[in-house]
Amino acid sequence: MSSISNVNIKLTQRQYQEAMGLVQRITAVFDKSNNNVAPMRASTVLPPSAAILPGGHGPQSPTESTRPPTMIGGASAEEEPWPRLDGKLSIDQVRLDLFVGVGSNFANLADSSLSYFSLNSIELKFCLDTHDSLDAELQVASFVVNDSRVRANSQFRQIVPAIETCDPQFLVHVSRLPTSDLIVNATVDRLKVILVLDYLFALRDFALSGVAALQASPSSQNPATAPTRSPAI
């Protein structure tokens, strides 16, 4: 069992645009590297009986390869794998705060706040055994979305309010059988969403600013397709 402290992420609109540009440059580098990789030749695999040991000796004798492990103190020298592995990971809160602009245009960072998203009381339980079967369960007590704009006149600040119950609001259970079949069960309990138009438009402008920055960046333009000016006569 292990636990992680609260995770708080603060993201300004300028940082979001730079992060989108960084992702674009990284994907462009991987695309170029994949195009330059030459296809590898398939190597011929020799049977174990024809393998040559270092020094020019012949293949290993069956008596040496099938020799049983040495017993030390009544136990095998080779460690046996664990038949089952159980684990639990818990996080109290994961929160993301969004800020418009670069954040330094206001006297206080809270004045440029747009919204925050919060996942509360997250628990991950898993069980893995040697038969290649897996059971995992993810629990989220509540998911909260708030409109944190200071200058907004809206009376509805809680876009997705928290629920007051002992049961988790989101529950996902994943089971993988030894036959490689996958079973996924998801449960959502009393999710309430309040639609506020001015908040949705502000959130849309924040999300589209990263796409506009990608289109305006010089790296996104292909020089082969760039328009050329005709010489003046």
Side-chain angles (χ1 to χ4, degrees):
M1 177 178 178
S2 61
S3 60
I4 301 177
S5 59
N6 296 348
V7 179
N8 297 322
I9 303 174
K10 295 183 178 181
L11 184 67
T12 63
Q13 193 169 6
R14 178 64 180 276
Q15 293 174 343
Y16 168 67
Q17 295 173 358
E18 293 179 354
M20 293 293 291
L22 181 61
V23 170
Q24 184 189 30
R25 289 190 291 268
I26 292 176
T27 53
V29 169
F30 280 103
D31 290 341
K32 293 179 181 179
S33 61
N34 292 335
N35 295 332
N36 296 333
V37 173
M40 299 179 61
R41 293 183 178 180
S43 58
T44 304
V45 180
L46 298 177
S49 59
I52 304 299
L53 298 178
H57 300 286
Q60 188 179 5
S61 61
T63 57
E64 296 179 358
S65 59
T66 58
R67 183 175 298 172
T70 307
M71 305 295 291
I72 302 177
S76 175
E78 298 180 359
E79 297 182 357
E80 296 182 357
W82 291 355
R84 179 172 176 174
L85 177 63
D86 296 335
K88 179 181 178 181
L89 177 64
S90 60
I91 306 176
D92 189 21
Q93 185 184 55
V94 177
R95 175 167 171 165
L96 172 64
D97 291 82
L98 301 181
F99 301 90
V100 296
V102 297
S104 59
N105 298 335
F106 299 86
N108 189 6
L109 186 61
D111 296 338
S112 62
S113 179
L114 172 61
S115 176
Y116 74 83
F117 307 82
S118 177
L119 295 173
N120 305 315
S121 299
I122 305 173
E123 287 189 0
L124 175 62
K125 303 176 183 178
F126 62 91
C127 175
L128 179 65
D129 58 12
T130 55
H131 299 288
D132 201 18
S133 62
L134 172 67
D135 285 335
E137 185 178 85
L138 177 63
Q139 297 182 5
V140 179
S142 62
F143 174 60
V144 179
V145 178
N146 271 29
D147 181 6
S148 57
R149 294 177 297 170
V150 178
R151 301 181 181 181
N153 297 325
S154 175
Q155 298 180 357
F156 301 96
R157 293 290 184 175
Q158 296 182 353
I159 306 301
V160 180
I163 62 173
E164 297 180 358
T165 179
C166 298
D167 298 329
Q169 186 176 13
F170 297 92
L171 178 63
V172 179
H173 185 82
V174 179
S175 298
R176 188 183 66 185
L177 304 179
T179 57
S180 300
D181 294 333
L182 189 65
I183 302 175
V184 180
N185 295 323
T187 304
V188 180
D189 184 15
R190 287 178 291 179
L191 180 62
K192 181 180 180 181
V193 180
I194 301 176
L195 297 180
V196 182
L197 293 181
D198 60 339
Y199 168 78
L200 293 178
F201 290 150
L203 198 62
R204 182 205 61 179
D205 296 340
F206 183 93
L208 293 180
S209 63
V211 180
L214 292 180
Q215 296 176 354
S217 60
S219 59
S220 62
Q221 298 179 359
N222 188 359
T225 59
T228 57
R229 296 182 180 179
S230 58
I233 301 177

